[in-house]
């Protein structure tokens, strides 16, 4: 498609896909400004930690044209869908965790949320992964949260329990955590369902040369509780507390104007949804961080990395501390205990994980 390997850029950094960027030969021959496109392929043996709703990201993005501004254009080259590459810098590359996001960019984020709640999910003619029986009725926010918890329990925890049982046990994680997570499910306030991006973090926003904010990576989009999209955004963005509070107030005002009822009961339900996100991070980060240690113990250049172990233990201990309350944990392991648990796992169960992958 590119006409020459020399114009290829990639693979780009990203968890879900292997992505290459290139101009099309026809674009170069027109003599106009060169445009670049993204060709994406799901990574092999990928662990999916989030529930997905739509069968094709390109199909969804194509359907949103005219409804959501500043999203990639999608074209077909043969039977392959290409997304337009947004030239600019990600929000994460410009502003680190402790930095305030400039108000003009926050305003554009709020405008995006308004556009999302205005989209009528029933009119989205996009193929869905889930069967109709697995979709809670409009407004059933309790059913929506229950399905999220079920996904984390069945597709993340139980699916990986055999390989990580020893590590989970040493960290105090077991089936009782999910009973704790479900305590507040029946008390959720009804809100009209909307289209959710599901992954609005700093590296999924691109700022172009004109200061316009573009939203990319729609593979985790779903239909559900709009307050969940705000909770996910707050959890992933790591705003300073004062800016997070201001953004939340603006979100409530804006989505209420766009679709009345969208922020109903947010004072009680936002902490519940934030609790779920922190709990979810415990399971996903324990698995992700533990697997990353395999590179130092079973990689092409074997050798135990104490620095990698210490860094991994600090990260896991941090997410355990944040997720302790929603998971019902009475205590959080010390840094030394987490380090010891990881060390044991990398020398025993990690071997089983690698053997399983080799056999597959």
């Amino acid at each position: 498609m590119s006409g020459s390997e020399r114009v290829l850029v990639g693979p780009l950094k990203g968890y879900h896909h292997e992505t290459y960027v290139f101009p099309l030969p026809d674009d170069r021959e027109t003599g106009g400004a060169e445009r670049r496109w993204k060709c994406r392929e799901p990574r092999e043996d990928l662990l999916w930690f989030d529930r997905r709703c739509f069968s094709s990201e390109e199909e969804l993005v194509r359907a949103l044209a005219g409804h959501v501004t500043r999203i990639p254009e999608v074209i077909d080259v043969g039977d392959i869908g290409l997304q337009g590459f947004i030239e600019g810098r990600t929000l994460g590359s410009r502003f680190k965790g402790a930095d305030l996001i400039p108000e003009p960019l926050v305003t554009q984020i709020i405008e995006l949320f308004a556009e999302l709640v205005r989209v009528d999910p029933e009119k989205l003619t996009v193929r869905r992964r889930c069967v109709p029986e697995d979709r809670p009725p409009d407004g059933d926010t309790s059913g929506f949260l229950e399905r999220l918890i079920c996904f984390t329990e069945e597709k993340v925890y139980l699916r990986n329990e055999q390989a990580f049982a020893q590590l989970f046990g040493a960290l105090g994680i077991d089936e009782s955590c999910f009973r704790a997570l479900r305590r507040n499910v029946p008390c959720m306030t009804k809100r009209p369902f909307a289209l959710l991006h599901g992954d609005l973090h700093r590296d999924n926003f691109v700022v172009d040369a004109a200061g316009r904010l573009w939203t990319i990576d729609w593979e985790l989009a779903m239909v559900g509780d709009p307050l969940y999209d705000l909770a996910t955004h707050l959890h992933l963005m790591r705003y300073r507390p004062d800016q997070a509070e201001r953004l939340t107030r603006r979100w409530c005002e804006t989505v209420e104007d766009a679709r009345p009822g969208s922020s109903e009961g947010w004072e009680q339900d936002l902490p519940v949804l934030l609790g779920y996100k922190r709990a979810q991070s415990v399971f996903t980060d324990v698995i992700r961080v533990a697997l990353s240690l395999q590179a130092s113990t079973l990689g092409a250049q074997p050798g135990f990395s104490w620095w990698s172990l210490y860094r991994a233990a600090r990260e896991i201990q941090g997410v355990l501390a944040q997720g302790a309350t929603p998971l019902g944990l009475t205590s959080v392991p010390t840094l030394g205990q987490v380090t010891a648990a990881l060390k044991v796992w990398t020398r025993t169960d990690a071997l089983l994980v690698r053997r399983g992958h080799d056999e597959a």
Side-chain angles (χ1 to χ4, degrees), residues 19 34 60 63 74 98 103 121 131 148 163 169 175-176 195 200 250 254 277 281 293 300 310 328:
T19 303
E34 183 178 275
L60 172 65
V74 178
E103 284 305 309
V131 297
L148 292 174
E175 294 86 349
S176 66
L195 175 69
L200 290 174
R250 291 183 64 184
T254 302
K277 295 305 300 184
S281 290
L293 289 177
Y310 174 73

Side-chain angles (χ1 to χ4, degrees), residues 157 160-174 177 282-294 309 312-313 316-317 319-320 329 333-350 352-353:
Y157 174 71
N160 295 283
E161 186 181 22
Q162 182 175 1
F164 293 90
Q166 184 183 57
L167 182 56
F168 285 154
L171 298 177
I173 302 172
D174 57 27
C177 293
V282 170
F283 297 103
T284 60
D285 287 2
V286 165
I287 294 172
R288 177 183 56 79
V289 172
L291 288 175
S292 72
L293 289 177
Q294 291 184 40
L309 177 66
I316 288 179
Q317 212 248 353
V319 296
L320 280 169
L329 301 180
T334 65
L335 183 59
Q337 290 170 328
V338 176
T339 303
L342 279 172
K343 183 178 178 183
V344 170
W345 185 85
T346 55
R347 292 181 173 178
T348 54
D349 288 1
L352 299 176
V353 173

Side-chain angles (χ1 to χ4, degrees), residues 35 54 62 180 188 193 203 231 269 289 297 306 319 323 347 353:
R35 295 190 62 189
F54 298 102
R62 198 192 309 270
M188 299 287 287
F193 281 3
D203 288 334
D269 291 352
V289 172
T297 57
W306 287 101
V319 296
R347 292 181 173 178
V353 173

Side-chain angles (χ1 to χ4, degrees), residues 124-144:
L124 277 178
T125 55
V126 182
R127 291 171 297 151
R128 301 276 290 268
R129 291 177 177 272
C130 55
V131 297
E133 293 76 18
D134 193 36
R135 304 172 194 167
D138 183 35
D140 183 8
T141 55
S142 293
F144 176 75

